[in-house]
């Protein structure tokens, strides 16, 4: 893991060459020492051997990561100019409104009527034509124009970094293209096994669509059982997220475990007969587990569960002692050998941390309380499972999702039986085509959804807008490790270390709260077509924008930044609205915020001369005003020119070029970092 992480942040060919030779050297030394093991009594030098093995594993990880990094390869498709690219669809296409999105492998580039073999991945967004069926599936080969562009980074504070997310999937370029600009080839490059699995899953989804009338129940059934990315409503997603049960909607270890229990029950008679019967059961069990993993999309969490279960089943069959930590480490090792980039997958990280929690903490938590009553004991055992997984995933869950579900124990207890029933009834419907069970199936899903929504609506159901820094993630993680060791082993030193770490975490959080109370900031957001500027005073903000609180652009680009700065009171006003508060006055195209002043230039100023004796800090150009930049600079004596995304691209270029001639400092609010101005 350390080798992969190090290589990922130092990606270049020189590092690859060094890493490869270091791996080769360390391996050869280990091989020689193994040959001379008895002659030179190597067993006396365990630290040396352990150190060499660690070095060898480190450079194995770094070499694999760099070898898998496409843009380092000589045949990467961006390193040459082509007239057309030959690609094949490497993921299941997802249609959202009229945009079809999919990942594609680039296999060839056409230049001078010659096809050159190339490599690399693309994210494709295809604008579909409602009058023509696009008819694209996994494995289809296409010819497209080479109009790709680099994936854009996050421009605004706290914005989701889509570029980093795609880079962790080895994708660095994207293309937006119309349906009539592609040529579908008669060939197909699909992996036969994956194509079979995708086609089979689509048939099962179509069956659910046919027999389940409620759209939300259909979406949950398809997502929960088959791993199909159905269009769940925001309300349902929010309910699962706020109650800490979102794991139920992504096929994971819990689902594979339920499948394993079902297979064990169905094949119970095979355990009490001959050795051949036991072998048949072993083969059938592992085959069915991997078959289910295949048709659900082979996500990181499903692969983890399938590999771990296979290892445990084999160990039991061979009557070997099972070390759960070794099984977990072996599973991670196999997955990372196959795909080093999985280490950045959130599902991979949370899945392994959850299982680590189950292995390390579930039994100590369960043993901490004793119930004579059978049902209370089972409830406590289930609660211990939920608590152990929640504890170990807590730091990363807060870091990634910025929330903590207060009632996670109640909600996880609530969904145990419904999820089991949904899984078993849903699978029975698919296997035996039992359409008459659909109303019962639909009722259970609806009941589960409504129950979770009720829990999510309870007072203080979730702590939201929690933003922590990376050092706080490490501090919280180490706190959990030390406090767990101290309480389990009943030792004082680990507990003292844990309390010191918690104190550091709390001091950091208190410091951030103090800064938030005193903050005075202006954020000019970078958007694609809209405009937004937040004037922040302590935990209040005036937001000048054309967005509303429910728009995706506001939720994706603006809201995370305001939450990060702990703003809890927001007043929305638009370009034309005048307002006055204790700290901000907006009137007649002017804004005064403490000692900063702005003038808002739009079409009202077309071909007009501005008389002004007070210099402005910022001139904000909006919706293509017909003004002369050099004249503005001279008349307004402003220090910075702001050009927002409501201006057309050619006007933005024109304004920028004119500003350069007069040394007018310019900041573009489109495809550029947001401008953060701190007044303290």
């Amino acid at each position: 893991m350390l080798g992969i992480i190090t290589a990922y942040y130092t990606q270049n060919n020189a590092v690859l060459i060094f890493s490869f030779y270091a791996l080769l050297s360390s391996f050869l030394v280990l091989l020689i020492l193994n040959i001379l093991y008895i002659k030179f009594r190597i067993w006396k030098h365990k630290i040396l051997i352990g150190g060499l093995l660690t070095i060898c594993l480190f450079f194995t990880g770094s070499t694999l990561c760099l070898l898998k990094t496409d843009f380092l390869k000589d045949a990467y498709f961006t390193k040459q100019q082509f007239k057309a690219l030959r690609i094949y669809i490497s993921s299941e296409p997802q249609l959202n409104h009229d945009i079809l999105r999919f990942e594609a492998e680039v296999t060839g580039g056409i230049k001078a009527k010659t096809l050159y073999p190339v490599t690399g991945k693309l994210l494709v967004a295809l604008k579909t034509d409602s009058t023509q069926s696009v008819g694209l599936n996994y494995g289809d080969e296409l010819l497209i124009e080479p109009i790709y562009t680099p994936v854009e980074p996050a421009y605004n504070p706290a914005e989701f970094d889509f570029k980093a997310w795609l880079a962790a999937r080895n994708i660095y370029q994207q293309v937006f293209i119309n349906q009539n600009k592609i040529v579908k080839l008669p060939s197909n490059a699909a992996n036969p096994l994956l194509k079979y699995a995708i086609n089979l899953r689509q048939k099962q989804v179509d069956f659910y669509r046919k027999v389940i009338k409620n759209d939300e129940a259909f979406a949950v059934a398809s997502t929960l059982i088959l791993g199909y990315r159905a269009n769940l409503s925001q309300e349902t997603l929010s309910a699962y997220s706020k109650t800490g049960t979102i794991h139920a909607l992504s096929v994971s270890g819990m689902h594979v475990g339920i499948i394993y229990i079902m297979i064990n029950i169905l094949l119970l008679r095979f355990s009490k007969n001959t050795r051949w019967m036991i072998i048949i059961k072993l083969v059938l069990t592992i085959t069915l587990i991997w078959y289910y993993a295949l048709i659900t999309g082979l996500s990181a969490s499903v692969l983890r569960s399938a590999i771990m279960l296979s290892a445990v089943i084999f160990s039991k069959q061979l009557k070997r002692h099972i070390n759960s930590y070794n099984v977990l480490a072996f599973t991670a090792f196999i997955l990372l050998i196959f795909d080093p980039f999985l280490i950045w997958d959130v599902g991979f990280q949370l899945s392994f941390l959850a299982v680590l929690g189950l292995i390390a903490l579930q039994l100590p938590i369960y043993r901490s309380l004793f119930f004579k009553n059978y049902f209370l004991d089972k409830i406590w055992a289930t609660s211990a499972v939920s608590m152990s997984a929640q504890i170990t995933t807590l730091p990363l869950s807060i870091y990634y999702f910025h929330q903590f579900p207060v009632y996670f124990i109640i909600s996880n207890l609530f969904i145990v039986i419904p999820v089991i029933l949904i899984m078993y009834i849903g699978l029975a419907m698919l296997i035996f085509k039992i359409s008459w069970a659909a109303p019962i199936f639909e009722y259970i899903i609806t009941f589960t959804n409504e129950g979770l929504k009720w829990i999510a609506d309870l007072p203080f159901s979730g702590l939201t807008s929690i933003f922590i820094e990376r050092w706080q993630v490490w501090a919280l993680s180490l706190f959990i490790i030390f406090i767990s060791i101290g309480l389990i082993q009943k030792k004082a030193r680990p507990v003292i270390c844990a309390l010191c770490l918690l104190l550091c975490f709390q001091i950091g959080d208190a410091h951030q709260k103090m800064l938030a109370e005193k903050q005075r900031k202006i954020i000019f957001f970078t958007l694609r077509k809209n405009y937004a500027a937040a004037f922040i005073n302590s935990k209040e903000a005036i937001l000048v924008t054309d967005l509303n609180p429910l728009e995706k652009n506001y939720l994706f680009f603006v809201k995370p930044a305001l939450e990060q700065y702990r703003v809890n009171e927001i007043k929305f006003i638009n370009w034309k609205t005048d307002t006055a508060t204790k700290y901000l006055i907006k009137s007649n195209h002017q804004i005064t915020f403490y000692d900063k002043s702005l003038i808002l230039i739009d079409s009202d100023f077309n071909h007009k001369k501005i008389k002004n004796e007070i210099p402005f800090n910022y001139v904000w150009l909006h919706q293509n005003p017909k003004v002369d930049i050099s004249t503005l600079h001279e008349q307004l004596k402003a220090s910075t020119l702001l050009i927002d995304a409501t201006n057309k691209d050619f006007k933005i270029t024109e304004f920028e070029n004119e500003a350069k001639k007069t040394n007018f400092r310019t900041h573009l609010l489109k495809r550029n970092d947001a401008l953060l101005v701190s007044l303290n």
Side-chain angles (χ1 to χ4, degrees):
M1 287 181 176
L2 286 174
I4 291 169
I5 293 167
T6 304
Y8 184 81
Y9 287 111
T10 56
Q11 291 173 325
N12 62 66
N13 285 310
V15 175
L16 172 58
I17 293 168
F18 173 79
S19 181
F20 175 75
Y21 282 111
L23 170 61
L24 187 62
S25 302
S26 58
F27 178 77
L28 287 174
V29 171
L30 282 170
L31 186 63
I32 292 168
L33 289 175
N34 188 59
I35 294 169
L36 302 174
Y37 191 75
I38 296 175
K39 185 177 181 180
F40 291 97
R41 300 181 179 182
I42 304 298
W43 61 81
K44 292 184 177 181
H45 307 282
K46 292 181 180 179
I47 294 176
L48 173 65
I49 300 301
L52 282 170
L53 185 57
T54 302
I55 291 169
C56 186
L57 287 170
F58 177 88
F59 286 111
T60 299
S62 61
T63 304
L64 281 171
C65 179
L66 293 167
L67 285 173
K68 295 265 187 178
T69 304
D70 282 340
F71 72 81
L72 294 179
K73 298 175 183 176
D74 292 335
Y76 190 56
F77 69 92
T78 64
K79 294 185 177 181
Q80 296 185 59
Q81 296 294 325
F82 297 106
K83 290 186 176 181
L85 293 176
R86 181 171 182 155
I87 66 172
Y88 79 86
I89 301 173
S90 57
S91 68
E92 193 173 4
Q94 300 292 325
L95 184 64
N96 188 7
H97 301 298
D98 59 344
I99 303 295
L100 188 73
R101 287 184 171 85
F102 53 84
E103 294 176 13
E105 290 277 355
V106 184
T107 58
I110 297 174
K111 181 168 56 176
K113 298 183 180 180
T114 304
L115 180 66
Y116 295 89
V118 294
T119 187
K121 289 184 176 181
L122 265 176
L123 180 67
V124 181
L126 187 68
K127 182 75 166 61
T128 59
D129 187 347
S130 58
T131 61
Q132 298 178 0
S133 174
V134 62
L136 294 181
N137 298 294
Y138 163 72
D140 286 345
E141 289 199 283
L142 311 170
L143 282 180
I144 66 168
E145 292 182 40
I147 52 175
Y148 52 82
T149 57
V151 179
E152 293 186 43
Y155 294 123
N156 300 294
E159 179 186 330
F160 175 70
D161 195 342
F162 191 56
K163 181 179 181 178
W165 184 77
L166 283 178
R169 299 170 68 87
N170 215 7
I171 300 173
Y172 308 94
Q173 304 289 329
Q174 62 183 347
V175 58
F176 187 89
I177 194 168
N178 288 322
Q179 181 180 335
N180 58 1
K181 295 291 184 179
I182 65 169
V183 177
K184 186 177 179 180
L185 302 175
S187 53
N188 192 289
N191 179 303
L193 195 61
L194 285 177
K195 186 176 181 181
Y196 166 77
I198 289 172
N199 290 338
L200 177 63
R201 181 171 68 173
Q202 190 57 54
K203 289 179 182 177
Q204 312 303 342
V205 170
D206 291 341
F207 175 75
Y208 276 153
R209 180 69 282 180
K210 181 180 177 182
V211 300
I212 300 175
K213 307 302 179 186
N214 184 281
D215 290 341
E216 201 63 19
F218 159 73
V220 170
S222 302
T223 306
L224 191 150
I225 298 173
L226 297 169
Y228 180 79
R229 297 175 187 174
N231 290 322
L232 286 160
S233 71
Q234 191 59 43
E235 185 185 9
T236 300
L237 278 173
S238 177
Y240 278 86
S241 180
K242 285 180 68 175
T243 55
T245 54
I246 195 70
H247 59 85
L249 287 179
S250 56
V251 178
S252 59
M254 179 182 72
H255 302 75
V256 177
I258 292 172
I259 296 295
Y260 174 63
I261 293 169
M262 182 183 72
I263 294 169
N264 249 348
I265 294 171
L266 293 175
L267 301 178
L268 190 62
R269 60 177 297 179
F270 284 84
S271 305
K272 300 179 180 180
N273 290 294
T274 65
R275 182 186 175 193
W276 286 107
M277 287 291 222
I278 295 172
I279 292 173
I280 291 170
K281 179 188 176 183
L282 173 71
V283 173
L284 279 174
T285 302
I286 292 175
T287 302
L288 289 172
I289 286 170
W290 278 98
Y291 185 72
Y292 177 70
L294 184 68
I295 65 172
T296 54
L298 294 175
S299 67
S301 54
V302 170
L303 283 170
R304 188 266 307 156
S305 305
I307 293 173
M308 284 192 71
L309 271 175
S310 300
V312 169
I313 292 167
F314 269 116
S315 299
K316 285 184 176 180
Q317 181 60 33
L318 297 172
K319 298 181 179 179
R320 298 291 298 272
H321 171 69
I322 299 171
N323 184 305
S324 300
Y325 295 103
N326 282 348
V327 173
L328 189 65
F330 168 77
T331 305
F333 184 77
I334 294 297
L335 288 174
L336 293 175
I337 287 287
F338 172 73
D339 183 3
F341 289 93
L342 274 177
I343 200 170
W344 307 112
D345 184 271
V346 177
F348 176 91
Q349 295 170 8
L350 294 177
S351 175
F352 275 90
L353 283 174
V355 176
L356 184 62
L358 295 178
I359 295 170
L361 301 179
Q362 188 269 333
L363 202 55
I365 291 173
Y366 171 68
R367 288 174 175 172
S368 65
L369 292 175
F370 175 73
F371 294 95
K372 289 184 178 180
N373 184 280
Y374 176 80
F375 292 105
L376 287 177
D377 182 65
K378 290 300 178 186
I379 291 172
W380 174 239
T382 306
S383 300
V385 170
S386 178
M387 289 170 66
S388 58
Q390 193 71 44
I391 288 169
T392 49
T393 58
L394 176 65
L396 280 186
S397 295
I398 293 175
Y399 181 71
Y400 286 127
F401 307 117
H402 314 298
Q403 62 180 6
F404 175 72
V406 175
Y407 303 133
F408 71 91
I409 294 177
I410 297 171
S411 52
N412 276 281
L413 282 172
F414 171 75
I415 68 163
V416 168
I417 294 176
V419 167
I420 292 173
L421 290 174
I422 290 168
M423 287 289 294
Y424 287 159
I425 295 173
L427 287 169
M429 286 172 62
L430 294 176
I431 295 168
F432 303 108
K433 301 302 176 189
I434 308 172
S435 57
W436 56 264
I440 301 171
F441 184 57
E442 190 175 318
Y443 173 78
I444 296 171
I445 294 174
T446 304
F447 170 78
T448 306
N449 290 348
E450 293 301 320
L452 290 176
K453 288 175 185 177
W454 181 80
I455 295 172
D457 290 335
L458 289 174
F460 312 107
S461 63
L463 304 176
T464 58
S465 303
I466 308 172
F467 283 83
I468 60 175
E469 298 177 12
R470 288 190 180 183
W471 74 266
Q472 290 178 300
V473 174
W474 285 107
L476 193 55
S477 301
L478 290 172
F479 163 76
I480 290 168
I481 292 169
F482 281 118
I483 197 71
S484 300
I485 293 171
L487 294 177
I488 292 170
Q489 298 183 356
K490 297 181 180 179
K491 293 182 179 179
R493 284 186 180 180
V495 174
I496 293 170
C497 290
L499 293 175
C500 290
L501 286 163
L502 184 62
L503 180 62
C504 292
F505 179 90
Q506 292 290 358
I507 290 171
D509 190 58
H511 178 65
Q512 290 175 2
K513 287 180 179 178
M514 289 172 61
L515 291 177
E517 290 288 347
K518 298 177 180 179
Q519 69 185 343
R520 294 175 183 175
K521 288 182 171 66
I522 307 174
I523 307 174
F524 296 100
F525 290 93
T526 288
L527 300 172
R528 293 171 181 172
K529 294 180 180 179
N530 306 92
Y531 67 92
F535 298 85
I536 302 172
N537 179 64
S538 186
K539 295 185 178 182
E540 300 176 2
I542 303 291
L543 187 64
V544 182
T545 184
D546 57 346
L547 301 172
N548 67 63
L550 299 178
E551 283 190 65
K552 287 184 178 180
N553 284 338
Y554 168 76
L555 297 172
F556 189 83
F557 297 112
V558 179
K559 186 181 178 183
L562 299 178
E563 289 181 340
Q564 184 182 49
Y565 289 112
R566 301 175 186 260
V567 173
N568 52 29
E569 187 177 331
I570 306 168
K571 181 179 179 180
F572 285 76
I573 61 174
N574 60 35
W575 187 266
K576 298 292 185 182
T577 307
D578 289 339
T579 189
T581 68
K582 292 180 180 179
Y583 55 89
L584 180 140
I585 298 173
K586 181 182 181 298
S587 176
N588 195 25
H589 287 83
Q590 296 181 48
I591 298 177
T592 303
F593 179 67
Y594 288 104
D595 62 340
K596 299 295 181 183
S597 58
L598 296 84
I599 183 167
L600 314 180
I601 305 294
D602 56 19
S603 57
D604 291 347
F605 290 83
N606 286 353
H607 308 297
K608 290 182 180 179
K609 185 177 180 180
I610 304 172
K611 294 182 180 180
N612 182 65
E613 297 179 355
I614 303 172
F616 286 96
N617 298 103
Y618 301 96
V619 178
W620 184 350
L621 301 187
H622 178 72
Q623 289 189 337
N624 314 294
K626 296 177 181 179
V627 293
D628 182 78
I629 300 299
S630 59
T631 305
L632 278 180
H633 191 201
E634 182 182 346
Q635 291 174 343
L636 301 175
K637 300 179 179 62
S639 58
T640 304
L641 178 69
L642 303 175
I643 308 173
D644 70 27
T646 63
N647 296 282
K648 294 180 179 178
D649 287 345
F650 79 91
K651 289 294 290 184
I652 291 175
T653 304
E654 183 182 307
F655 289 145
E656 187 179 20
N657 291 335
E658 288 180 17
K660 285 179 181 177
K661 294 176 183 177
T662 56
N663 295 319
F664 197 170
R665 187 170 60 188
T666 305
H667 194 96
L668 305 183
L669 298 174
K670 185 174 185 179
R671 299 189 187 94
N672 197 19
D673 288 337
L675 179 60
L676 176 61
V677 182
S678 182
L679 279 64
N680 326 71

